[in-house]
Amino acid sequence: MLTLTSASSALTLFPECKTQRRRFAISAAADDKFPSFLPKQMEEIKDPFARKLATRIERLPVNVSFSEKSIMSSCVKPLIQSNQNPVVLLHSFDSSCLEWRYTFPLLEEAGLETWAIDILGWGFSNLERIKSCDVASKREHFYQLWKSYIKRPMTLVGPSLGAAVAVDFAVNHPEAVSILKSFPLRLYTTFLAFKGVSFDTGLDWVNIGKLHCLYPWWEDATVSFMISGGYNVSRQIDQVMQKTLIIWGEDDQIISNKLAVRLHCELPNSIIRQIPDCGHLPHVEKPDSAARLILEFMQNHSCQKKAQLAPTEEVVY
């Protein structure tokens, strides 16, 4: 199991951050070198965190049974290599890895080996020759990417629809998932999802969110997914045996907090934490709080595993 820093270190991880997204001295630079496969409209994005993370997006070849050729699959690979289990971040419905632009650097600064993966059919992968983007295809693609590159049990973090992807994947490939973190379901509109966002910021966030929609294959991939029926994991929830953290924004205007309580009751090994003054996607709106909860959850789980092993005296530090 993933071993993190001491409890005192985790609690003082971001002591100087008085407001959100001010932890890092990042400014939008005109000379940011973006990968050539990103839409040219990336140059128009103002958000410095999105621009910074976009420079790190790359495509990796992934072999799947439903394509004769490898799918060049987009992701952000970790800068930090560790012998511990990595954290793998999924995005919400019809989005991309840029959704993690605020929380990703916080997790890396905390010393975690962190991946951000684009789910098949969305994000910045090359889908020119892909005919199917249904649930089974998305699952196989993610599994083959994990098997080829990550290769270890992972801590899987899924916001919005990504939570359904995480549950489906954990049930079908339990060997690949150590623990789960979940944020509840689906973004409908930016101004409904986030609390107190200015018009200019909201417009830039919308532009970030729709970058991948500019690819010529986006419409076919999305239609393929919708026709397939999408994710329906309600019957799989009680099969999730991994420890799970549910993070919920107290001011979520899209999903009732009653559903958060219901999910907590139905997931066998779950805990729930709410973030005050926060809307639908905490990792975008309150990245410091979201990162802190993830780190503390992983740390507590690691300590429990150590305690279970302690009597055997087989733990090596």
Side-chain angles (χ1 to χ4, degrees), residues 4-18:
L4 301 179
T5 56
S6 66
S8 58
S9 298
L11 292 175
T12 58
L13 184 61
F14 316 121
E16 300 176 0
C17 189
K18 297 181 180 179

Side-chain angles (χ1 to χ4, degrees), residues 288-301:
D288 285 2
S289 298
R292 191 188 306 276
L293 288 172
I294 291 172
L295 289 164
E296 290 176 356
F297 177 66
M298 294 176 67
Q299 181 182 37
N300 291 338
H301 184 68

